[in-house]
Amino acid sequence: MTLIKSISGIRGTIGGNVGDNLTPVDAVKFASAYGMFLKKANPKKRLKVCIGRDARISGPMIHNLVVNTLVGLGIDIIDLGLSTTPTVEVAVPLEQADGGIILTASHNPKQWNALKLLNAKGEFLSGADGAQILEIAESEAFDFVDVDSLGEVTENDAYMDIHIDEVLNLPLVDFEAVAQKKFKVVVDGVNSSGGIIIPKVLEQMGVEVVKLYCEPNGHFPHNPEPLKEHLTDICELVVAEKADFGIVVDPDVDRLAFISNDGQMFGEEYTLVAIADYVLSKTPGNTVSNMSSSRALHDITEKHNGSYQASAVGEVNVVELMKKTNAIIGGEGNGGIIYPEIHYGRDAVVGVALFLTYLANQDKTVAELRASYPQYYMSKNKIELTPQIDVDNVLKTMTEKYANENISTIDGVKIDFPTEWVHLRKSNTEPIIRIYTEAPTQAEADTLAERFVNELKVIAGI
């Protein structure tokens, strides 16, 4: 497995050869590069970095390596321990830290881990900053401090509670209205950090919680990506418990999916749509999502007289466009909610609180709420890459083939047809080509996806 280096972080599978996987040597190398990057940007300053991890089995090992590497560079550490990606993003500015690292491979299976790198605002690094870190790593231009200048480690395991407090204090979160409804919710925490923080925020909002896979032991009971095919257990449990709905998060709690009261997927694309509908009804404005997200957000934004724009895939790209357009809310169609009132990062905790508040003020079930939105259906597919496949040439050939259609090449190739679209792009986080389609019916979306998967395979010679 090739070590993947991108704007989404530095990630790989545990074990194997140095440079091919995320080995202890690679963890130290890239932590060193990040530390040197911060030191060059802040000469003559005593630096501080917040570090947290999800519950992956490899987490403690990678955590110890990264923390002590930065200590060796003379950088002080605020050790958040078991945490979430949005919690670390909240902690960095509150601690007035110079950066942050989240040790998580997000939705990837348990054999993966990664270093997600933050700036002093608690936001993901820009592409240019990431490129500098990769250059430092390749050159191994590391300068460690002497024994009298080593960094110090301060443990602070209170930040998940602080994060919840920050969410509950938001003006659009009404936990009293939620408590009056006496909701019952099933939570699938995929045996990671979400199994701690999501039940906590629900209980503080007066919600009865039914826990499923909420033991943070890192043994994921199913593929941790919150897609329909992985969520049979919670879909059945929501119905069996007669719950109002279900909540699913990924291991680092930056993606959020709902299960409707009838046991059907609410649709992770519609997580952002529903929450944006609520936020825009109270604070009209603009929205942003990435190019692989549903057209439904565009429709909801126009309903509230706002303007919608699409960015390249990747949280840093969405955030950049949100700032440029003064967007009130944004995110990604994979269930990532970015609400600038708390911070510029995908945050399932704030998504849960806003959705509950919205639901408390609706005279609808979750299934009825879902049915009230514009109906689009997506198909998400992928093709595994081999070293022999020239991805750039494959996408160039596809662009030429459909030159007469409405095409965008900002991020891979997106082809907009009158009533449907297809987006083809190389993943930032896995060695695959993603093929996303959307159409007015599921059958049409699946048919369109099958057609383009076959066309890509022919072009790639698979």
Side-chain angles (χ1 to χ4, degrees):
M1 178 62 68
T2 302
L3 194 65
I4 298 173
K5 311 162 191 174
S6 74
I7 59 173
S8 297
I10 299 155
R11 69 178 66 197
T13 51
I14 298 299
N17 298 318
V18 174
D20 289 338
N21 304 74
L22 188 59
T23 69
V25 174
D26 292 294
V28 169
K29 178 178 177 179
F30 288 107
S32 300
Y34 175 66
M36 290 303 300
F37 165 78
L38 292 181
K39 291 178 75 170
K40 288 183 178 181
N42 302 276
K44 299 181 181 179
K45 178 185 178 185
R46 181 80 173 190
L47 298 176
K48 180 165 59 173
V49 170
C50 295
I51 298 181
R53 65 175 179 88
D54 70 12
R56 288 170 190 274
I57 298 167
S58 63
M61 176 188 73
I62 299 295
H63 175 266
N64 287 333
L65 290 165
V66 169
V67 166
N68 288 299
T69 297
L70 295 182
V71 166
L73 287 166
I75 296 173
D76 293 331
I77 303 299
I78 305 298
D79 183 358
L80 308 183
L82 194 61
S83 192
T84 78
T85 289
T87 300
V88 180
E89 291 171 337
V90 166
V92 169
L94 289 179
E95 287 289 333
Q96 297 182 316
D98 301 286
I101 302 178
I102 309 106
L103 304 171
T104 174
S106 193
H107 62 275
N108 291 105
K110 70 176 184 179
Q111 63 267 33
W112 290 77
N113 213 326
L115 284 69
K116 290 185 175 182
L117 309 176
L118 305 177
N119 62 22
K121 296 179 181 178
E123 299 169 12
F124 284 117
L125 299 180
S126 67
D129 288 344
Q132 283 188 50
I133 291 171
L134 293 180
E135 287 178 10
I136 296 169
E138 289 304 311
S139 66
E140 298 189 356
F142 312 140
D143 183 15
F144 294 94
V145 300
D146 61 37
V147 69
D148 293 319
S149 303
L150 295 174
E152 297 179 355
V153 179
T154 303
E155 295 183 357
N156 187 339
D157 61 2
Y159 261 98
M160 282 202 275
D161 291 325
I162 294 169
H163 182 186
I164 291 171
D165 290 343
E166 292 286 313
V167 168
L168 296 182
N169 285 330
L170 290 168
L172 293 191
V173 173
D174 188 344
F175 55 86
E176 293 178 350
V178 172
Q180 290 175 5
K181 289 291 185 175
K182 301 187 183 302
F183 290 126
K184 183 179 184 179
V185 175
V186 180
V187 176
D188 180 349
V190 73
N191 285 344
S192 190
S193 310
I196 300 173
I197 197 167
I198 299 300
K200 271 191 174 184
V201 72
L202 291 174
E203 288 164 357
Q204 290 190 37
M205 297 183 78
V207 174
E208 180 184 350
V209 179
V210 178
K211 296 180 182 180
L212 176 67
Y213 308 136
C214 287
E215 183 65 33
N217 57 28
H219 292 283
F220 304 152
H222 54 76
N223 186 306
E225 188 164 13
L227 302 178
K228 180 179 180 180
E229 57 267 29
H230 307 149
L231 303 177
T232 304
D233 290 352
I234 187 172
C235 289
E236 293 176 351
L237 190 57
V238 166
V239 174
E241 289 284 344
K242 297 181 180 178
D244 291 285
F245 65 104
I247 293 172
V248 183
V249 292
D250 64 341
D252 69 324
V253 200
D254 63 357
R255 290 176 62 172
L256 173 64
F258 298 128
I259 311 299
S260 296
N261 54 292
D262 57 3
Q264 298 298 309
M265 290 291 295
F266 190 81
E268 61 174 355
E269 292 290 329
Y270 282 80
T271 302
L272 176 56
V273 173
I275 294 169
D277 192 21
Y278 169 57
V279 170
L280 293 173
S281 72
K282 301 295 184 181
T283 51
N286 302 327
T287 65
V288 171
S289 65
N290 69 39
M291 298 179 69
S292 285
S293 302
S294 175
R295 285 179 176 174
L297 181 60
H298 167 272
D299 296 350
I300 290 297
T301 306
E302 286 201 336
K303 182 185 83 170
H304 292 288
N305 299 313
S307 174
Y308 165 82
Q309 291 194 43
S311 76
V313 174
E315 183 173 320
V316 66
N317 297 317
V318 176
V319 168
E320 182 181 0
L321 189 55
M322 286 181 69
K323 290 179 177 180
K324 183 178 178 181
T325 60
N326 295 314
I328 299 296
I329 188 167
E332 299 188 277
N334 59 13
I337 306 299
I338 301 174
Y339 188 47
E341 283 295 306
I342 184 166
H343 66 110
Y344 275 105
R346 296 184 305 182
D347 190 335
V349 181
V350 76
V352 165
L354 290 170
F355 184 79
L356 278 166
T357 302
Y358 186 34
L359 188 63
N361 288 283
Q362 295 288 310
D363 189 23
K364 295 184 177 113
T365 65
V366 172
E368 289 168 342
L369 184 65
R370 172 65 177 82
S372 71
Y373 292 121
Q375 299 300 302
Y376 297 105
Y377 297 84
M378 294 188 75
S379 182
K380 298 183 178 183
N381 298 269
K382 59 188 178 183
I383 295 175
E384 300 287 340
L385 294 178
T386 65
Q388 292 75 34
I389 297 176
D390 185 341
V391 178
D392 292 335
N393 184 62
V394 169
L395 296 180
K396 179 183 177 184
T397 301
M398 192 65 75
T399 302
E400 293 170 350
K401 181 175 181 179
Y402 287 93
N404 292 329
E405 302 293 344
N406 183 9
I407 287 184
S408 171
T409 55
I410 292 173
D411 183 9
V413 181
K414 185 173 184 180
I415 308 167
D416 270 297
F417 301 104
T419 60
E420 53 195 20
W421 57 258
V422 59
H423 190 194
L424 317 169
R425 59 180 293 275
K426 185 176 179 180
S427 172
N428 290 328
T429 58
E430 298 177 72
I432 59 176
I433 294 178
R434 296 192 184 275
I435 304 100
Y436 285 8
T437 61
E438 184 174 68
T441 69
Q442 190 64 58
E444 289 172 306
D446 291 342
T447 299
L448 185 64
E450 184 179 359
R451 169 184 149 192
F452 274 88
V453 166
N454 290 335
E455 288 184 18
L456 282 172
K457 285 183 175 179
V458 170
I459 294 170
I462 300 175

